[in-house]
């Protein structure tokens, strides 16, 4: 039986300007040229930048012919229209295939609640985006039509402390059991040294690294370690 793909989804958060993005892609593509990785087809690698940089990320991926997909970190709960400052799912879908919804930073700093997150998920689904819905435990409300669930304990985000792979696996199992989702990934201080501990768990279908995706070398080493496992 063919094994399902494993996801490596880089969440750049509110980081990087144009020149830093250009440098990042130059370095990563150089590393790809220097060392050909065999099992890359087993991975779905997604880069989630700020809205404003999504077209640039797409252009860089295309011009270096990297095996990466494009993602957004958020979308509006509304469609196109009189919603000043918002970026709709339809607009994002012109450039990106994936969107992160309900990251704990959005829930905490921007007060996004379950109703709003349901609207956002619905918008993403209607626009044909694959939604990566973040939850901090297996009891969280999960809207219908979510593509991927990211289990991210809040205390593990950006702290250097991770959930144990066994606990993360158990939470992933429960999420799959209680909801109609087949893909659950783990996020929270994932890096090159611990990525394989999570990817080798039966119920964990990928990872969502933040900090460790910002530096091209550290991102590349995560991919190398994952692919050589
Ligand atoms: P981190 O972030 O890898 O820096 O902990 C993960 C996330 O917030 O998605």
């Amino acid at each position: 039986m063919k094994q399902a793909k494993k996801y490596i989804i880089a969440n750049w958060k509110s980081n990087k300007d144009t020149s830093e993005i250009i440098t990042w892609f130059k370095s990563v593509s150089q590393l790809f040229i220097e060392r050909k990785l065999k099992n890359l087809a087993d991975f779905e690698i997604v880069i989630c930048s700020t809205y404003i940089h999504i077209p640039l990320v797409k252009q860089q991926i295309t011009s270096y012919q990297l095996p990466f997909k494009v993602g957004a970190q958020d979308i509006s709960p509304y469609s196109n229209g009189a919603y000043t400052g918002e970026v709709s799912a339809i607009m994002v879908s012109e450039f990106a295939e994936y969107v992160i919804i309900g990251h704990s930073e959005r829930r905490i700093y921007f007060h996004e609640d379950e109703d709003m997150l349901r609207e956002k998920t619905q918008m993403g689904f209607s626009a044909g985006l694959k939604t990566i819905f973040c939850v901090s435990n297996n009891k969280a409300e999960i809207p219908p039509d979510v593509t991927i669930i990211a289990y991210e304990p809040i205390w593990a985000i950006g702290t250097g402390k991770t959930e144990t792979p066994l606990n993360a696996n158990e939470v992933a199992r429960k999420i799959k059991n209680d909801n109609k989702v087949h893909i659950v990934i783990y996020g929270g201080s994932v890096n090159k040294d611990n990525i394989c501990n999570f990817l080798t768990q039966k119920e964990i279908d990928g990872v969502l690294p933040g900090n460790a995706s910002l530096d091209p070398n550290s991102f590349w080493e995560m991919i190398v370690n994952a692919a050589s496992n």
Side-chain angles (χ1 to χ4, degrees), residues 11 13 103 105 152 156-159 187-190 208-212:
N11 178 8
K13 307 192 179 184
H103 191 281
E105 287 152 12
E152 297 205 301
I157 296 177
T159 58
S189 298
V190 172
L208 180 54
N211 273 330

Side-chain angles (χ1 to χ4, degrees), residues 183-195:
I183 307 170
V184 178
I185 64 175
Y186 167 78
S189 298
V190 172
N191 61 33
K192 67 179 170 54
D193 299 320
N194 61 31
I195 186 168

